[in-house]
């Protein structure tokens, strides 16, 4: 084939891997690469901060199932990607991050904008590469996309020294040969038989579903299995949408802010079938008393997850889709049982709830309205109370339509992730459920949304505080609100949106919520909706850290006094600041 | 409990960092680690000694296997393997102590590889206990300096651990 520069070879690789959009920000060492991007038909979305690029690639990947690609320059550009890469790693998101690097002969000399990004990202990537020769480009890019998207997906970083992108190279397209990488996707037949037997013998089974089912695209098989044997299904935050939440067998989410009925069911069950989930501490509560009477079947594509956190009776190493296919063949239909009656009674007795208010907007009410008006929208979230309410009060039915930072818990994730998701699926409404704290962490990407005409919607649940931490301070630190009070005026989100050329809308009364949402969805521009919500609202129910799942608490609802108290603090804080200015 | 594992890795830069980084990140304890070439120049062999219960060992093996540059991980059971360490030890030795040291060296089938008026360098190979034992005996003469390799180990009989 013809000779080309390293940079052109990179673009050719991206094209051949089916990449249609990349998210990035250029820099000195990336000039040759960006020159090649200029001449290529791959769409480049210019971000305003590299962290945004990583989260956009992540959101794009989760919404489409394809590999997301982000690009940053050497040094600070690369280190700005770190949070986004760690986020993708914790949630097993297929991503390729391309970073610029100084010329090979300058590496190790503390050159301008040099950072050892392969060293820095060693523990937060599935694999990474520092390219030293243009002849390695095609092999490395093929391997990177293969590694990122197969087995348990994850981010792969490629560090690209400037001279490597300038050198000329003969383009070739070699097959991937990795002697140290063989994802074990096909489960052992014997283990499937054992798991099926356990399911048949169980009288109180619970299927516990995580992100693995979503990445394997196995939600239909899951539905078939659960309904065939009438087994209740609970999902983790990452597994949300893998099973339709309006189905009688759905127990919703489990764990710290899961439903009471999911947690009760886990604790009472005699068999837990975990599929693509990893028994995270937010899910299990106190690990020694997790599901005390249950046998555990653990199906996971990553053998290292099996037996990592809990003892497993029947390990099944393999892809969720293959495993579910196998199980479906082995099990015979089971009729409804007392166990179904019991879980359904729990659902009736302990529903997720909040006290509606005529005068003050409850954040849960906003989520319910979003769900009512835009049931098919892709919902992304920030992290904290907004995230938990979005998980609890939106009725999720599609795994690719709930996009949230689970493992790392990255505030500032939701908005750029929404932009990425909208790029991947422009036909869907995409709504970022945000808090007034987390939205500001990447609000500069409003410029990206406006300039590139990506009409995402942001619903800020503005409660004037860092709500989740404030909630913990209220419950466990005698209401000493250390560094969690943001107040009511920081900043004016409507004006902020308008300053960027986006639309800003505000609702201060419950009656304004629906019109604001409808107006936001009716426009084809990016919109920030500022919902002034009750400040003292807490996420409930809650399993306190270190407690057993059955010790789940319903938190007090009537928080009018607490709300007034907080509003007073907000007002006083403002006075204090102004007073000091005068002084 | 101590466990010995053999790890066959690609002979590329940065691989040692990946392995060492994995151990520190996952809070696995390395007692000893040695690296060297294999008969195939594309691969290196590491012998790693870790301590912990069976669950820890299982995690160590699984997590190592996930690294792309790791080709093979194999536990080497103590009873079914031979293992060796090498140490070179510089001890104080004058004309009064020299012969006694030489007796110890002979008993341990060690070697003297350097002699001067005031010191000797002794080379010893053997399993960990044997090396510990000679070090203990040589202490009375005054150990001036010591360099010791990590353990290398291999399964007895026909079974092989190769790429």
């Amino acid at each position: 084939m013809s000779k080309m520069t390293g940079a052109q070879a990179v673009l050719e690789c991206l094209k051949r891997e089916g990449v249609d959009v990349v998210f990035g920000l250029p820099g000195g060492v990336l000039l040759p690469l960006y020159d090649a991007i200029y001449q290529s038909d791959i769409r480049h979305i210019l971000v305003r901060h590299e962290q945004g690029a990583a989260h956009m690639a992540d959101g794009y990947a989760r919404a489409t199932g394809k590999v997301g690609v982000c690009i940053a320059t050497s040094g600070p550009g690369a280190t700005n990607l770190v949070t986004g890469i760690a986020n993708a790693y914790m949630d097993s998101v297929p991503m390729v991050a391309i970073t610029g690097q100084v010329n090979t002969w300058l590496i190790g000399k503390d050159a301008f904008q040099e950072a050892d990004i392969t060293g820095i990202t060693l523990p937060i990537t599935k694999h990474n590469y520092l390219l030293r020769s243009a002849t390695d480009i095609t092999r490395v890019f093929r391997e990177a996309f293969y590694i990122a998207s197969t087995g348990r997906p994850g981010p792969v970083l490629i560090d690209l020294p400037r001279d490597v992108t300038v050198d000329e190279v003969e383009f070739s397209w070699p097959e991937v040969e990795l002697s140290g990488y063989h994802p074990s996707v096909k489960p052992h037949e014997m283990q499937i038989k054992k798991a099926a037997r356990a399911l048949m013998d169980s009288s109180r089974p619970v299927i516990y579903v995580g992100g693995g089912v979503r990445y394997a695209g196995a939600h239909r098989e899951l539905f078939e299995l659960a309904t065939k044997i009438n087994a209740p299904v609970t999902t983790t935050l990452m597994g949300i949408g893998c099973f339709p939440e309006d189905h009688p067998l759905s127990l919703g989410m489990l764990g710290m802010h899961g439903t009471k009925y999911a947690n009760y069911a886990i604790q009472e069950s005699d068999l837990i079938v975990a599929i693509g989930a990893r028994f995270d501490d937010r899910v299990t509560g106190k690990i020694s008393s997790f599901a005390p009477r249950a046998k555990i079947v653990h199906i996971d594509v990553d053998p290292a997850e099996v037996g990592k956190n809990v003892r497993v009776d029947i390990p099944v190493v393999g892809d969720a889709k293959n495993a579910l296919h196998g199980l479906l063949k082995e099990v015979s239909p089971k009729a409804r049982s007392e166990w179904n009656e019991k879980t359904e009674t729990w659902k009736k007795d302990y529903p997720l709830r909040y006290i509606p208010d005529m005068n003050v907007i409850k954040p849960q009410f906003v989520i319910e309205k979003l769900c009512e008006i835009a049931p098919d929208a892709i919902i992304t979230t920030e992290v904290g109370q907004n995230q938990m309410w979005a998980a609890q009060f939106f009725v999720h039915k599609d795994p690719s339509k709930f996009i949230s930072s689970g493992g790392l818990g990255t505030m500032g994730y939701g908005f750029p992730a929404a932009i990425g998701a909208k790029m991947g699926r422009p036909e869907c409404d995409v709504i970022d459920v945000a808090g007034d704290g987390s939205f500001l962490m990447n609000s500069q990407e409003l410029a990206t949304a406006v300039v590139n005409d990506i009409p995402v919607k942001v619903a800020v649940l503005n409660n004037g505080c860092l709500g989740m931490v404030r909630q913990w301070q209220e419950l466990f630190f005698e209401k000493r609100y250390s560094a969690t009070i943001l107040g009511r005026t920081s900043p004016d989100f409507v004006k902020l949106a308008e300053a960027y050329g986006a639309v800003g809308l505000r609702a201060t009364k419950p009656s304004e919520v629906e019109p604001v949402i409808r107006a936001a969805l009716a426009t084809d521009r990016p919109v920030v909706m500022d919902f002034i919500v009750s400040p003292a609202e807490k996420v409930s129910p809650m399993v306190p850290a270190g407690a057993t799942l059955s010790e789940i608490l319903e938190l007090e609802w009537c928080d009018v006094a607490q709300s007034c108290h907080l509003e007073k603090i907000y007002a006083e804080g403002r006075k204090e600041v102004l007073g000091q200015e005068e002084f | 409990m101590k466990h010995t594992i053999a790890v066959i890795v690609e002979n590329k830069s940065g691989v040692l960092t990946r392995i060492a980084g994995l151990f520190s990140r996952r809070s696995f304890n390395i007692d000893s680690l040695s690296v060297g070439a294999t008969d195939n120049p594309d691969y290196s062999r590491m012998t790693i000694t870790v301590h912990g219960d069976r669950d820890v060992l299982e995690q160590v093996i699984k997590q190592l296997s996930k690294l792309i540059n790791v080709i093979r991980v194999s536990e080497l059971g103590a009873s079914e393997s031979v293992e060796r360490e090498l140490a070179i030890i510089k001890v104080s030795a004058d004309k009064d102590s020299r012969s006694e040291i030489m007796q110890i060296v002979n008993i341990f089938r060690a070697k003297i590889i350097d002699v001067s008026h005031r010191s000797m360098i002794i080379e010893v190979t053997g399993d960990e206990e044997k090396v510990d034992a000679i070090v203990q005996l040589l202490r009375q003469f005054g150990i001036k300096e010591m360099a010791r390799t990590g353990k290398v180990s291999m399964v007895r009989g026909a079974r092989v651990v190769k790429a």
Side-chain angles (χ1 to χ4, degrees):
Chain A
M1 246 193 107
S2 59
K3 281 221 172 213
M4 52 175 79
T5 66
Q8 286 165 334
V10 168
L11 269 296
E12 181 61 28
C13 288
L14 294 179
K15 213 168 109 188
R16 293 197 182 203
E17 291 293 348
V19 176
D20 48 19
V21 58
V22 296
F23 305 92
L25 197 136
V29 299
L30 284 184
L31 280 162
L33 185 71
Y34 269 79
D35 196 46
I37 288 174
Y38 191 78
Q39 297 171 46
S40 144
D41 46 15
I42 288 179
R43 184 155 180 207
H44 176 269
I45 300 293
L46 172 64
V47 299
R48 293 300 185 270
H49 185 292
E50 291 87 348
Q51 187 188 350
H55 291 327
M56 285 176 206
D58 177 315
Y60 174 88
R62 294 196 211 202
T64 61
K66 291 164 67 178
V67 177
V69 180
C70 56
I71 303 176
T73 193
S74 64
T79 54
N80 275 347
L81 288 181
V82 167
T83 304
I85 295 170
N87 188 75
Y89 183 68
M90 287 289 266
D91 288 349
S92 311
V93 178
M95 178 196 283
V96 170
I98 301 168
T99 51
Q101 183 55 278
V102 300
N103 287 314
T104 46
W105 58 86
L106 287 173
I107 291 175
K109 308 270 196 264
D110 301 319
F112 177 65
Q113 292 195 326
E114 181 186 358
D116 172 17
I117 197 64
T118 46
I120 290 168
T121 57
L122 210 67
I124 54 164
T125 48
K126 190 169 170 187
H127 194 53
N128 63 23
Y129 295 90
L130 167 57
L131 272 169
R132 291 193 176 267
S133 157
T135 52
D136 289 336
I137 287 175
T138 49
R139 176 184 60 80
V140 164
F141 271 79
R142 283 209 89 171
E143 288 180 7
F145 276 83
Y146 178 68
I147 292 169
S149 59
T150 52
R152 178 182 185 172
V156 178
L157 180 136
I158 303 170
D159 203 15
L160 211 52
R162 188 193 158 278
D163 53 320
V164 170
T165 63
V166 175
D167 288 349
E168 290 224 318
V169 64
E170 196 85 44
F171 192 88
S172 65
W173 196 236
E175 286 304 313
V176 174
E177 272 177 65
L178 287 161
S179 48
Y181 180 68
H182 309 283
S184 28
V185 291
K186 200 117 192 74
H188 201 283
E189 229 168 276
M190 200 56 218
Q191 294 305 98
I192 290 286
K193 282 206 164 80
K194 278 192 206 161
R197 187 76 261 146
L199 267 173
M200 291 287 85
D201 292 346
S202 158
S203 56
R204 301 189 307 278
V206 175
I207 303 178
Y208 149 49
V209 170
V213 170
R214 162 203 197 130
Y215 291 125
H219 53 285
R220 283 182 204 90
E221 289 80 358
L222 170 69
F223 186 84
E224 249 185 90
L225 178 73
T227 48
K228 186 172 180 183
I229 59 171
N230 275 300
V233 179
T234 180
T235 69
T236 66
L237 187 75
M238 303 312 300
I240 277 184
C242 285
F243 193 79
E245 292 181 342
D246 51 358
H247 193 280
L249 286 171
S250 168
L251 299 173
M253 184 170 76
L254 81 167
M256 181 172 275
H257 292 298
T259 62
K260 277 192 157 181
Y261 38 94
N263 288 331
Y264 288 161
I266 287 280
Q267 290 305 93
E268 290 286 311
S269 70
D270 65 356
L271 177 73
I272 287 175
V273 180
I275 313 178
R278 58 187 175 87
F279 297 88
D280 171 81
D281 57 288
R282 284 292 190 268
V283 157
T284 61
K286 189 176 170 191
I287 197 106
S288 57
S289 53
F290 174 76
R293 282 171 283 275
K295 235 188 193 182
I296 293 180
V297 175
H298 192 177
I299 301 171
D300 207 291
V301 73
D302 179 358
E305 284 304 336
V306 180
K308 188 179 82 178
N309 293 341
V310 295
R311 40 139 205 110
V312 172
D313 300 288
I314 305 174
V316 182
V317 175
D319 168 80
K321 196 163 188 146
N322 290 332
L324 280 162
H325 265 301
L327 282 175
L328 270 169
K329 265 189 251 158
E330 295 292 330
V331 297
S332 34
K334 266 172 103 171
R336 279 176 54 84
S337 65
E338 271 175 48
W339 178 237
N340 296 112
E341 308 269 322
K342 192 160 189 180
T343 54
E344 279 161 30
T345 310
W346 280 330
K347 276 178 87 167
K348 254 181 242 125
D349 292 349
Y350 308 107
L352 288 171
R353 62 196 181 97
Y354 68 97
I355 307 280
D357 195 301
M358 293 288 286
N359 303 309
V360 186
I361 303 176
K362 289 296 179 88
Q364 301 94 329
F365 175 72
V366 177
I367 307 293
E368 284 181 342
K369 278 286 163 200
L370 285 173
C371 184
E372 188 186 309
I373 298 165
D376 295 321
I378 294 178
I379 300 294
T380 71
T381 79
E382 303 292 340
V383 166
Q385 290 184 314
N386 59 79
Q387 176 185 36
M388 290 299 114
W389 287 319
Q392 290 177 333
F393 289 92
F394 201 97
V395 182
H396 304 279
K397 294 171 202 161
D398 181 337
S400 67
K401 288 186 169 173
F402 182 74
I403 295 176
S404 189
S405 166
L408 196 66
T410 313
M411 287 171 71
Y413 168 77
F415 179 49
I419 295 176
K422 184 76 182 170
M423 283 305 298
R425 291 169 76 181
E427 75 287 359
C428 292
D429 285 321
V430 182
I431 305 168
D432 169 36
V433 173
D436 47 326
S438 41
F439 177 57
L440 279 189
M441 288 198 179
N442 272 317
S443 58
Q444 78 285 343
E445 300 308 329
L446 275 168
T448 307
V450 170
V451 170
N452 293 289
D453 198 15
I454 308 168
V456 292
K457 321 292 172 183
V458 183
V460 179
L461 305 176
N462 187 345
N463 58 4
C465 57
L466 300 169
M468 186 57 96
V469 179
R470 189 208 62 76
Q471 167 169 343
W472 284 56
Q473 288 170 337
E474 181 186 328
L475 295 169
F476 309 116
F477 290 85
E478 295 167 347
K479 303 187 182 177
R480 289 187 296 275
Y481 298 128
S482 181
T484 50
I485 304 302
L486 305 172
R488 281 300 187 196
T489 52
S490 63
D492 181 325
F493 287 103
V494 172
K495 283 189 187 155
L496 180 76
E498 286 165 355
Y500 279 103
V503 178
L505 301 169
R506 178 173 293 126
T508 55
K509 293 198 291 280
S511 59
E512 294 166 355
V513 171
E514 183 166 341
V516 161
I517 295 171
R518 290 201 184 277
L521 292 172
T523 156
D524 54 1
R525 293 166 61 196
V527 181
V528 178
M529 297 172 269
D530 185 19
F531 296 104
I532 308 299
V533 301
S534 131
E537 204 64 22
K538 292 189 282 291
V539 177
S540 177
M542 177 180 189
V543 180
T548 299
L549 291 187
S550 51
E551 291 164 9
I552 188 163
L553 304 172
E554 193 104 32
L555 302 175
E556 54 182 292
W557 296 107
C558 231
D559 57 10
V560 178
Q562 183 60 14
S563 281
C564 292
H565 175 62
L566 280 168
E567 292 288 3
K568 217 173 120 202
I569 294 179
Y570 296 168
E572 273 167 12
R574 186 76 186 149
K575 228 186 289 165
E576 218 169 85
V577 173
L578 293 176
Q580 273 167 8
E581 269 169 17
E582 280 162 17
F583 180 76
Chain B
M1 254 268 284
K2 278 196 179 184
H3 310 276
T4 306
I5 46 180
V7 187
I8 309 293
V9 300
E10 287 180 283
N11 185 12
K12 284 184 181 166
S13 69
V15 175
L16 182 59
T17 321
R18 285 177 200 277
I19 300 216
L22 174 70
F23 274 78
S24 68
R25 183 166 88 84
R26 299 263 175 202
S27 307
F28 301 144
N29 294 305
I30 300 187
D31 287 336
S32 107
L33 185 152
S34 70
V35 201
T38 64
D39 55 317
N40 182 338
D42 292 341
Y43 302 108
S44 306
R45 178 177 177 127
M46 296 186 180
T47 310
I48 304 177
T49 318
V50 294
H51 66 261
D53 55 22
R54 285 304 310 180
D55 291 346
V56 170
L57 176 68
E58 192 186 316
Q59 269 298 304
V60 169
I61 292 174
K62 284 175 166 179
Q63 295 290 351
L64 281 172
S65 305
K66 272 171 78 167
L67 296 177
I68 310 286
N69 299 127
V70 169
I71 308 297
R72 188 145 175 223
V73 187
S74 186
E75 189 193 358
L76 305 176
S79 57
E80 49 173 24
S81 326
V82 287
E83 52 179 61
R84 288 293 179 271
E85 274 185 34
L86 181 144
I88 48 178
I89 308 156
K90 189 179 283 178
V91 280
S92 301
D94 53 25
K95 60 182 189 309
D96 298 332
S97 59
R98 201 168 288 141
S99 63
E100 198 181 338
I101 293 172
M102 284 168 69
Q103 272 181 8
I104 293 171
V105 166
N106 281 334
I107 291 165
F108 278 85
R109 282 188 277 168
K111 273 191 233 162
I112 293 161
I113 54 175
D114 181 71
V115 186
S116 73
H117 288 299
R118 281 190 237 133
S119 70
M120 295 165 116
I121 298 178
I122 293 155
E123 174 200 310
V124 60
T125 57
D127 60 19
E128 194 181 353
E129 287 73 27
K130 176 180 165 184
V131 177
D132 283 347
I134 193 169
V135 168
Q136 197 53 42
L137 280 170
L138 291 174
R139 254 180 225 293
Q140 57 181 313
F141 306 101
I143 293 178
K144 294 158 83 84
E145 194 179 343
M146 176 164 81
R148 200 167 162 171
T149 66
K151 179 168 33 175
V152 291
S153 184
M154 193 173 280
V155 181
R156 295 172 197 274
R159 195 186 127 205
V160 291
V161 179
K162 280 185 85 161

